[in-house]
């Protein structure tokens, strides 16, 4: 609560985070125009809010936001690697993707295109795909800078971080898909995500691999 009449909130839309304020009298939600796609630990007091945030090209940071002007101040970064133009020029951006899966349903993922400004793939060649499967299993893929993802994409390998059925941030029915179906729904969604990108011509379906840890390790 930022005073008696305003609430500051974070929420997820198709796997990407948003920060907004809610006017408690009218119920109107106003989104802040910020460069971040992941938000945690939001705290507010009067005209200020502080939170942890990041994006595919911005490392996890503590940020102070003026709720009246929308101006931000970075209080602390987890790393300064993105400040070096010689390195940040290789960073790829995240894309929210949704794809058809079993039972005529839709699943979601975070797609990171292969990207390296110093190289061009041969004509008609499609990048290999690394499918990433998060743990939890009812956790969710984070879009905050992951240097391991950037390692793969800068070397010509696309990455799909799958928010398979059961993941948090897509509503209760979506989360409940995994109840009693762990090892089925997650596997189907990972396979269908890779298949969808191949059918779209964005990756080479014959060169796909999968990795994951914890719950995602069982899926892998």
């Amino acid at each position: 609560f930022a005073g008696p009449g305003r609430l500051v909130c974070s929420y997820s839309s198709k796997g990407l985070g948003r920060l907004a304020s809610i006017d408690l009298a009218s119920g109107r939600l106003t989104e802040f125009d910020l460069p971040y796609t992941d938000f945690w630990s939001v705290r507010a007091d009067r005209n200020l809010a502080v939170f942890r945030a990041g994006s595919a090209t911005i490392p996890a940071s503590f940020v102070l936001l003026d709720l009246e002007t929308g101006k931000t101040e970075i209080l602390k970064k987890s790393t300064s690697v993105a400040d070096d133009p010689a390195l940040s020029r290789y960073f790829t951006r995240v894309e929210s993707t949704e794809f058809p899966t079993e039972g005529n349903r839709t699943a979601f993922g975070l797609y990171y295109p292969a990207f390296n400004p110093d190289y061009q793939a041969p004509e008609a060649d499609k990048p290999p795909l690394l499918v990433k499967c998060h743990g939890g299993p009812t956790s969710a893929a984070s879009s905050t800078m992951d240097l391991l993802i950037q390692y793969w994409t800068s070397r010509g390998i696309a990455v799909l971080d799958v928010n398979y059925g059961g993941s948090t941030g897509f509503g209760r029915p979506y989360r409940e898909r995994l109840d009693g179906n762990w090892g089925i729904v997650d596997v189907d969604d990972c396979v269908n995500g890779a298949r969808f990108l191949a059918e779209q011509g964005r990756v080479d379906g014959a060169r796909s691999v999968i990795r994951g840890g914890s719950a995602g390790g069982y899926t892998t």
Side-chain angles (χ1 to χ4, degrees), residues 15-16 94-97 109-112 141-143 159-161 163:
L16 297 179
V94 64
E95 301 175 18
S96 175
T97 184
L110 301 177
Y111 177 64
Y112 299 84
S142 170
S143 60
V159 176
L160 176 65
D161 204 348
N163 274 312

Side-chain angles (χ1 to χ4, degrees), residues 2 21 36 64 89 112 119 145 184 197 212-213 218:
S21 67
Y36 308 105
L64 180 69
R89 65 190 292 265
Y112 299 84
Y119 296 93
M145 178 188 285
I184 300 172
L197 291 174
Y218 286 108

Side-chain angles (χ1 to χ4, degrees), residues 4-28:
R6 178 168 53 184
L7 185 72
V8 180
C9 68
S10 64
Y11 64 95
S12 176
S13 176
K14 298 182 179 180
L16 297 179
R18 304 284 189 272
L19 190 78
S21 67
I22 300 174
D23 182 277
L24 297 180
S26 65
R28 185 167 63 94

Side-chain angles (χ1 to χ4, degrees), residues 48-92:
L48 297 174
V50 66
F51 47 85
R52 181 177 173 231
S55 76
T57 57
I58 302 174
S61 308
F62 286 112
V63 182
L64 180 69
L65 169 68
D66 187 313
L67 299 174
E68 300 302 322
T69 66
K71 293 182 178 179
T72 59
E73 177 187 353
I74 296 178
L75 304 176
K76 181 70 175 177
K77 299 177 185 178
S78 58
T79 175
S80 60
V81 64
D83 297 336
D84 185 349
L87 297 176
S88 62
R89 65 190 292 265
Y90 295 101
F91 292 164
T92 193

Side-chain angles (χ1 to χ4, degrees), residues 64-210:
L64 180 69
L65 169 68
D66 187 313
L67 299 174
E68 300 302 322
T69 66
K71 293 182 178 179
T72 59
E73 177 187 353
I74 296 178
L75 304 176
K76 181 70 175 177
K77 299 177 185 178
S78 58
T79 175
S80 60
V81 64
D83 297 336
D84 185 349
L87 297 176
S88 62
R89 65 190 292 265
Y90 295 101
F91 292 164
T92 193
R93 297 185 180 276
V94 64
E95 301 175 18
S96 175
T97 184
E98 51 186 298
F99 50 88
T101 191
E102 306 306 308
N104 295 316
R105 298 186 294 196
T106 297
F108 299 87
L110 301 177
Y111 177 64
Y112 299 84
F115 173 73
N116 189 312
D118 297 336
Y119 296 93
Q120 182 66 40
E123 188 68 27
D125 187 46
K126 305 299 180 185
L129 175 68
L130 171 65
V131 176
K132 189 168 179 284
C133 187
H134 68 72
T138 53
S139 180
S142 170
S143 60
T144 291
M145 178 188 285
D146 183 334
L147 292 179
L148 186 56
I149 289 177
Q150 298 291 349
Y151 170 86
W152 294 114
T153 57
S154 65
R155 283 147 180 81
I157 299 173
V159 176
L160 176 65
D161 204 348
V162 183
N163 274 312
Y164 49 83
S167 300
T168 294
F170 303 88
R172 180 172 295 187
Y174 194 83
R175 183 159 179 158
E176 290 178 344
R177 287 185 190 179
L178 202 62
D179 187 13
N181 293 298
W182 187 21
I184 300 172
V185 167
D186 44 327
V187 171
D188 287 339
D189 289 353
C190 287
V191 170
N192 286 322
R195 182 175 290 145
F196 173 78
L197 291 174
E199 291 172 350
Q200 294 290 307
R202 306 199 69 180
V203 301
D204 183 350
R207 294 187 292 168
S208 296
V209 297
I210 185 171

